């Protein structure tokens, strides 16, 4: 039965993992099943794809109070992504779902939703704690992401080994391996490029894959190739946060006029007010203003 479920939702899941959100939604809507578990899992991926399109209000309005716990977790994630200031109410509700569903099949989804919130709050230790309770490809891949964010490449490589032992050819395993190669830099950047190119050849170009490939080009100093990949990514999604950040980096390294990078930053601030780059820049601006006031001349 597990194999049938995997086969039935394979395109749905794979489309989400590579960032092809509309395809994920389209494929999910094609799945007709009488199996309640498969139907709920299908809906989870459909709503997560909508979150990838930043349609937070749609998700919140469509998931009713009577929905299963894993869908409630997705709704809470949508609520947080729409307004991270609501973390004081969202986090306790997610933790309540976690504690009451430890033996439920949907607990993996709840763990992923909780970990996503924790990661947005830079609380990677909490994210790892909930993810480590589940030995699934997606949880392990997210653990790789957390360890890399914490600059713990050795731990990330250990998780990658676990992923490779489970399914070396899985899209999530390949993506996790590419992330680690990019973090390592140097000659490993070419290996990461090959992984992204293989995924592009097998699937279709998406901002997730193109921006990953562009990061490889940037690390290798191949600015023309990076710009081509990023422009293609931008054409597919003008508001992709990682694409905008990499375009800012590219503009800086190619000495483009200040207004070019400034435009990308303005777009990032407008579309992703709570992105870590925006938050970090805002903190630096506030610190600079504080220092200026501290040393400002006093009028006689």
């Amino acid at each position: 039965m597990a194999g049938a479920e995997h086969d039935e939702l394979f395109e749905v899941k794979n489309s989400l993992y590579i960032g092809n959100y509309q395809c994920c939604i389209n494929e999910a809507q094609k799945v007709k099943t009488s199996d309640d578990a498969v139907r709920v899992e299908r809906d989870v991926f459909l709503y997560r794809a909508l979150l990838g399109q930043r349609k937070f209000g749609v998700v919140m309005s469509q998931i009713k109070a009577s929905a299963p716990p894993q869908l409630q977790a997705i709704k809470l994630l949508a609520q947080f992504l729409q307004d991270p200031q609501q973390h004081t109410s969202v986090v306790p509700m997610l933790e309540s779902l976690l504690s009451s569903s430890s033996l439920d099949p949907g607990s993996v989804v709840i763990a992923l939703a909780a970990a996503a919130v924790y990661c947005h709050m830079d609380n990677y230790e909490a994210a790892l704690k909930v993810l480590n309770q589940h030995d699934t490809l997606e949880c392990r891949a997210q653990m790789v992401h957390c360890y890399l964010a914490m600059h713990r490449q050795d731990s990330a490589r250990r998780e990658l080994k676990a992923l490779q032992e489970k399914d070396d050819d899985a899209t999530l395993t390949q993506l996790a391996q590419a992330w680690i190669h990019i973090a390592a830099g140097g000659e490993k950047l070419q290996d990461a490029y090959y992984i992204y190119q293989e995924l592009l050849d097998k699937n279709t170009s998406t901002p997730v894959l193109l921006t990953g490939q562009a990061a490889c080009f940037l690390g290798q100093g191949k600015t023309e190739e990076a710009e081509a990949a990023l422009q293609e990514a931008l054409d597919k999604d003008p508001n992709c946060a990682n694409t905008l950040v990499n375009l800012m980096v590219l503009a800086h390294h190619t000495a483009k006029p200040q207004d070019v990078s400034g435009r990308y930053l303005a777009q990032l601030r407008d579309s992703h007010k709570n992105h870590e780059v925006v938050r970090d820049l805002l903190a630096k601006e506030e610190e600079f203003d504080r220092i200026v006031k501290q040393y400002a001349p006093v009028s006689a």
Side-chain angles (χ1 to χ4, degrees), residues 75-86:
K75 184 175 183 177
L76 288 169
L77 175 58
Q79 184 179 338
F80 171 83
L81 292 174
Q82 187 177 60
D83 181 11
Q85 296 302 318
Q86 295 192 37

Side-chain angles (χ1 to χ4, degrees), residues 126-138:
L128 287 166
K129 183 177 180 180
V130 297
L131 291 168
N132 195 42
Q133 298 175 29
H134 303 279
D135 189 25
T136 67
L137 283 175
E138 192 167 3

Side-chain angles (χ1 to χ4, degrees), residues 165-185:
E165 289 172 353
K166 290 177 72 67
D167 190 345
D168 191 29
D169 295 325
T171 296
L172 286 172
T173 304
Q174 294 301 306
L175 285 171
Q177 188 169 15
W179 302 337
I180 290 175
H181 287 333
I182 290 175

Side-chain angles (χ1 to χ4, degrees), residues 47 162 183 187 201 249:
Y47 288 128
E187 296 179 356
D201 292 340
V249 173

Side-chain angles (χ1 to χ4, degrees), residues 3-300:
E5 289 181 22
H6 172 78
D7 291 338
E8 194 167 4
L9 296 175
F10 176 79
E11 289 298 332
V12 175
K13 296 176 180 180
N14 196 63
S15 296
L16 181 79
Y17 298 149
I18 66 171
N20 194 351
Y21 302 123
Q22 191 57 51
C23 181
C24 177
I25 293 167
N26 295 342
E27 291 297 322
Q29 290 174 337
K30 294 177 185 177
V31 176
K32 309 298 181 184
T33 178
S34 58
D35 188 314
D36 289 342
V38 176
R39 186 166 59 250
V40 171
E41 188 177 13
R42 173 204 64 193
D43 291 346
V44 164
F45 279 87
L46 186 152
Y47 288 128
R48 288 176 65 188
L50 286 168
L51 293 184
Q53 294 181 332
R54 299 183 59 78
K55 296 179 180 178
F56 309 133
V58 174
V59 174
M60 292 166 62
S61 65
Q62 290 194 351
I63 298 178
K64 307 303 180 185
S66 58
Q70 53 266 54
L71 290 179
Q72 296 296 337
I74 298 300
K75 184 175 183 177
L76 288 169
L77 175 58
Q79 184 179 338
F80 171 83
L81 292 174
Q82 187 177 60
D83 181 11
Q85 296 302 318
Q86 295 192 37
H87 68 89
T88 53
S89 60
V90 168
V91 171
M93 286 189 282
L94 276 171
E95 291 177 343
S96 177
L97 284 174
L98 282 168
S99 62
S100 62
S101 65
S102 58
L103 301 179
D104 187 274
S107 60
V108 172
V109 177
I110 299 171
L112 287 166
V117 171
Y118 288 136
C119 286
H120 278 282
M121 298 171 63
D122 297 329
N123 189 352
Y124 297 107
E125 291 85 356
L128 287 166
K129 183 177 180 180
V130 297
L131 291 168
N132 195 42
Q133 298 175 29
H134 303 279
D135 189 25
T136 67
L137 283 175
E138 192 167 3
C139 285
R140 293 295 168 189
Q142 288 302 313
M143 289 179 70
V144 170
H145 165 77
C146 289
Y147 281 127
L148 290 176
M150 299 166 70
H151 306 290
R152 292 170 58 182
Q153 290 189 36
D154 289 346
S155 297
R157 282 191 285 269
R158 283 197 296 270
E159 289 302 326
L160 175 62
K161 184 177 180 181
L163 279 167
Q164 291 171 326
E165 289 172 353
K166 290 177 72 67
D167 190 345
D168 191 29
D169 295 325
T171 296
L172 286 172
T173 304
Q174 294 301 306
L175 285 171
Q177 188 169 15
W179 302 337
I180 290 175
H181 287 333
I182 290 175
E187 296 179 356
K188 291 296 183 180
L189 289 169
Q190 190 64 29
D191 294 332
Y193 164 80
Y194 287 136
I195 291 173
Y196 282 116
Q197 188 59 52
E198 184 177 355
L199 289 171
L200 284 162
D201 292 340
K202 284 182 178 179
N203 300 281
T204 187
S205 58
T206 68
V208 169
L209 299 180
L210 289 166
T211 302
Q213 201 170 63
C216 302
F217 288 138
L218 283 169
Q220 295 173 309
K222 299 178 180 179
T223 55
E224 291 185 6
E225 292 90 337
E227 185 165 14
L230 290 171
Q231 285 300 329
E232 185 179 350
L234 196 66
D235 289 341
K236 291 180 176 295
D237 182 0
N239 292 310
C240 177
N242 288 336
T243 302
L244 293 170
V245 170
N246 278 275
L247 281 166
M248 288 165 54
V249 173
L250 177 66
H252 174 73
H253 283 292
T254 53
K256 291 186 181 295
Q258 185 67 34
D259 62 330
V260 174
S261 58
R263 184 168 63 251
Y264 294 132
L265 176 58
Q267 191 172 345
L268 184 69
R269 280 177 151 162
D270 182 61
S271 302
H272 303 273
K273 295 180 177 64
N274 297 288
H275 190 276
E276 59 182 329
V277 171
V278 176
R279 287 188 281 115
D280 185 54
L281 184 59
L282 181 61
K284 286 181 170 59
E285 289 174 344
E286 291 175 347
E287 178 66 10
F288 178 79
D289 290 341
R290 185 189 65 79
I291 293 173
V292 168
K293 289 179 181 179
Q294 183 177 345
Y295 291 98
V298 179
S299 300

